[in-house]
């Protein structure tokens, strides 16, 4: 995976479809994908940039599930959620 993906954000997806190979060929024509792993003939996992994943989830009728996300945006969301929790704990403790 490129450094740019790591900084901007990436999403690991699982696509389940009757024709995974055709769907994957169609997806790869529209966007850059990486780390393709076929689980079985109906399921494939791959990584795309985070901004492209949102459009992919909306466009396809096949079942697409987000496995995990990463990059700086995901880290900042995690940090922000822990900041809120720490504030609540401090307010309840005082």
């Amino acid at each position: 995976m490129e450094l740019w993906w790591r900084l901007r954000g990436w999403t690991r997806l699982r696509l389940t479809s009757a024709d995974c190979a055709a769907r994957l060929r169609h997806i790869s024509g529209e966007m850059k994908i990486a780390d393709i792993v076929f689980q079985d003939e109906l399921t494939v996992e791959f990584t795309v940039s985070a901004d492209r994943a949102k459009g992919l989830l909306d466009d396809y009728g096949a079942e697409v599930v987000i496995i995990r996300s990463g990059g700086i945006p995901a880290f900042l969301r995690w940090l922000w959620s822990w900041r809120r929790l720490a504030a609540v704990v401090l307010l309840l403790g005082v």
Side-chain angles (χ1 to χ4, degrees):
M1 208 178 325
E2 295 177 4
L3 179 62
W4 183 246
W5 277 26
R6 293 189 187 273
L7 294 177
R8 279 197 70 201
W10 53 269
T11 303
R12 184 87 178 154
L13 300 171
R14 179 181 296 134
L15 170 71
T16 304
S17 176
D19 192 5
C20 281
R23 295 269 185 184
L24 199 59
R25 277 193 301 274
H26 183 69
I27 293 167
S28 65
E30 296 176 358
M31 65 187 75
K32 185 174 181 180
I33 58 176
D35 303 329
I36 302 167
V37 177
F38 281 89
Q39 301 294 326
D40 56 27
E41 57 195 34
L42 300 177
T43 306
V44 63
E45 290 183 6
F46 57 95
T47 304
V48 296
S49 64
D51 56 342
R52 298 286 187 155
K54 292 177 184 175
L56 185 67
L57 291 174
D58 296 337
D59 290 343
Y60 289 94
E63 180 181 349
V64 180
V65 178
I66 296 175
I67 298 173
R68 68 178 172 248
S69 297
I72 292 176
F75 175 73
L76 292 176
R77 282 192 303 271
W78 174 82
L79 187 63
W80 183 254
S81 67
W82 278 101
R83 181 178 168 196
R84 290 180 186 169
L85 179 65
V88 169
V89 168
L90 284 175
L91 288 175
L92 292 176
V94 172

